[in-house]
Each structure stands twice: as structure tokens, then as C-alpha cells.
Amino acid sequence: MTVSKEVIETILDRILLTPVKLYALMVSQRPNHTLIEIELDQLDHPYGSVSLLECEQVSRKLNEELEKISPDLNYTLKVSSAGAERKLVIPEDLDRFRGIPVRLVYKVEGSGNKEGIFKILDRKGGKIILEPFSKRKSAASKKKEVNLELKDILKGNLYVSI
């Protein structure tokens, strides 16, 4: 017996309560076994981190629903937070994580790809306004705004500095 990704998404739509939402779902079917991996997002947390309790609640409710529809299903369920250094969904996350350090890989005309750590200041149309991020306090006075075209951003993730 197997269960489809669509069926699991439908169940999650019913059981996830705002501010917790689905970030990623992976379903791997193997003979006689299914691996279900769920990553959650917490819309009220500055970094989107989900608590262990929230993961437990989703896991328990999903287990109950899967038992109802497919009691013979042999599966492993992993429910976790999307993570503090999660991949960004661009451009949506650029608004959501304003003021938080992000690592971006972007195209520079004639120079290839560059990588940098920035704080998101604003987004206006197809441009994003950034401030270079530095852990050193002395560097704060030298910071200049950086303007990038959204189309030039290749990928990004949240950056947690320690």
C-alpha cells in the first residue's frame, strides 16, 4: 500500500494551523515502505523556526490521519523545521525577511557570479536594496547600500551569525 504526495498535502492543508505552514514535502516510495519528510515554516518567528512541540503536534495528527486512510501503510515520518539557514524563496522571502542577514549568490555583469552577506533594507519593483553585513562593529560606519536587480539573484538563504 502506498500514499501519494497529493493525499499528504490535502491532509496537511486540513491540520496545519496558521502561523505554521508547509515549507517542503518529500515522499519517497520504496517497495513496501514510504518515507515522508516534512519541513515546516512558522510565519510569526523572525527566522521561521518551528518549535519541537509544533513538529510533534503535526506528526501526531498526520499519523492519526494516515492510520485512518491506510492502516496497512508501512512508513517513516520525519517532521522538522525548515531551518534557520533555509533556502530563500525569491522574491517573496526578500520582503518577509527584511532586516535579517541573508547570503546571496548573484550575477555581476562581466564578473561572473559573486556571493555576499547582506541585510535586506527594501524591495522596489524589480530591485532590492541591501546593506553589506558585517559582525564587526567598526565596519558599520563604512557600509554602503547595494542595489541588485531581482533577475540577477541566483539563490539565497538566511544567514545566522554566531
Side-chain angles (χ1 to χ4, degrees), residues 91-108:
E92 297 88 353
D93 282 348
L94 298 176
D95 293 324
R96 177 176 175 198
F97 295 113
R98 191 172 293 181
I100 291 179
V102 296
R103 181 186 316 268
L104 298 175
V105 176
Y106 53 97
K107 291 187 286 190
V108 177

Side-chain angles (χ1 to χ4, degrees), residues 17-73:
L17 302 174
T18 304
V20 176
K21 75 170 206 156
L22 181 64
Y23 177 81
L25 170 63
M26 292 150 289
V27 179
S28 305
Q29 304 281 355
R30 292 186 174 71
N32 302 321
H33 190 265
T34 302
L35 173 61
I36 304 165
E37 296 177 277
I38 297 169
E39 292 181 356
L40 300 173
D41 189 10
Q42 220 293 2
L43 299 175
D44 287 347
H45 189 277
Y47 284 87
S49 297
V50 179
S51 72
L52 185 57
L53 179 62
E54 289 165 322
C55 290
E56 281 179 26
Q57 290 170 338
V58 170
S59 180
R60 188 175 21 80
K61 288 177 184 176
L62 184 56
N63 272 321
E64 290 169 3
E65 293 296 319
L66 289 173
E67 286 294 319
K68 287 179 192 173
I69 63 169
S70 188
D72 298 336
L73 182 65

